[in-house]
Amino acid sequence: MSSIRMFHCRFSCRTAIRPWWPAALLGLLGLLAGGLPLAQAGTVEPIRIGSVLTLSGPGAALGEPELKTLQLYVERLNAAGGLLGRPLRLIHVDDGGELAKVDPAFRRLLDAERVDVLIGGTTSSASLAALPLVERAEVPFLSLAGSVLIVEPAKKWVFKTAHTDRMACDKVFADLRARGLTRVALLSEASGYGRSGRFQCLARAAASGVQVVLDDSHDPKEADFSAPLARIGASDAQALLVLGVGASSARITRAVHAAGLKLALYHTHSIGSKAFIEAAGDAAEGVRFPAAALIVAAQLPEADPQKRVALEYTQAYTAAYGGSVSTFGGHAYDALMQWAEAVRRAGSVEPDAVRRALEATHGYVGTGGIVHYAPTDHLGLDATAFRMIEIRNGDWRLID
């Protein structure tokens, strides 16, 4: 056992599982989001949940619902008696979308705060940068980001709740073929997610029956897309797939509309928030993208096993915060709930016991899909977890 692991375990290894209180008692204790100690817990050491999220900068629209979700459900878990008879404490750090802040943020949570689990890495860049540190620290990490490289190859301490960029490529290409479109242009941003998504789409195109006729990229801070859009317009592409996150995706969508390009416009699951529709305005009309069932929960068939979970989360989130849900908040919900279930099954927060319990997760029904982890699969989702969505009249419409 490493010295970091031994230091960590002194504060996190506990005993005796305590049954949860009935759901009807949720909220009666009036705890603050963030997990203050339960009144009857006395000096019981809280279980510490660490989270590095993008709460400012271009990616804030992703990180904000993630934090709100964690705060809401930490409060609910505490109101229901906590876990193992111990209260939960949420400690979060904003990386501001800046890669230079990622390592110090994770180190603070691991070394100073001595957290028992890490949830976050809003962006692929942040999650990928944290991997070596997490693996050395031997603490469970549930990433909320999209790059398949986060979990492939499988890493002992790393799990992921967001669908992958590879899955997004496959879903978009299948929809293109169904529409009789076979020539696509790629426009990827120079970020961890953009580069990983570009690589995956280029690798999957030929086998999917789709030809990439133009492969272009851009700086995510860029405001002028006239040059790449001119190249795309001069090509024989029938569709454009944008691979990026945050505000740049909406700016590109507006630029495509302003340029009058007559292309089928696709994005990935990185735009699964009403913030994208608000930012893109009328230009968002007709945009298609793959996403979790969460954002179209009310349109799911009654027999769909995800419908109840997605609707319950939607009702709880909107009651607490108003507005609408996003797939990003759903990723945070799934991460927290999967970890909480693993802690209950393990009867401990000892890192390796929780890791093994997480890896044994089979049939978890969440907002993102039905999860079946395995030693070589720390994503646990298959193609059925993705739905094709089209933006119509400022809202989401389920296509497939």
Side-chain angles (χ1 to χ4, degrees), residues 2 4-9 12 48-51 106 109-111 113-119 130-143 155-159 339 349-356 358:
S2 71
I4 295 175
R5 164 91 171 273
M6 293 175 65
F7 177 81
H8 175 82
C9 195
S12 61
R48 293 174 169 87
I49 302 168
S51 189
F106 276 90
L109 293 175
L110 289 166
D111 299 338
E113 303 293 350
R114 307 184 302 276
V115 297
D116 298 292
V117 63
L118 290 161
I119 296 175
L131 296 184
L133 183 60
V134 169
E135 287 289 288
R136 286 196 299 271
E138 299 183 338
V139 174
F141 173 41
L142 291 95
S143 170
K155 296 148 189 80
K156 183 176 180 179
W157 296 94
V158 180
F159 298 81
W339 168 79
V349 290
E350 192 278 322
D352 197 54
V354 175
R355 183 199 64 77
R356 285 183 278 109
L358 272 170

Side-chain angles (χ1 to χ4, degrees), residues 243-387:
L243 298 155
V245 296
S248 70
S249 295
R251 293 199 301 272
I252 290 172
T253 301
R254 293 197 305 269
V256 169
H257 182 73
L261 296 182
K262 304 302 180 183
L263 296 168
L265 182 55
Y266 285 82
H267 285 263
T268 67
H269 48 315
S270 65
I271 66 163
S273 165
K274 284 290 179 67
F276 169 82
I277 298 178
E278 293 166 2
D282 292 343
E285 186 74 6
V287 167
R288 288 193 178 189
F289 66 104
L294 169 63
I295 60 175
V296 288
Q299 301 174 45
L300 298 175
E302 291 302 320
D304 192 307
Q306 282 187 264
K307 184 163 188 171
R308 179 185 62 81
V309 173
L311 285 177
E312 286 178 356
Y313 168 77
T314 298
Q315 290 160 5
Y317 185 93
T318 55
Y321 302 116
S324 60
V325 297
S326 72
T327 57
F328 313 113
H331 299 329
Y333 170 86
D334 288 342
L336 182 63
M337 292 299 106
Q338 287 177 28
W339 168 79
E341 286 189 9
V343 168
R344 295 181 70 197
R345 293 198 307 272
S348 168
V349 290
E350 192 278 322
D352 197 54
V354 175
R355 183 199 64 77
R356 285 183 278 109
L358 272 170
E359 202 169 72
T361 297
H362 189 81
Y364 166 84
V365 181
T367 69
I370 302 176
V371 177
H372 303 283
Y373 286 138
T376 58
D377 182 2
H378 284 190
L379 172 67
L381 297 173
D382 61 21
T384 63
F386 249 161
R387 316 298 171 105

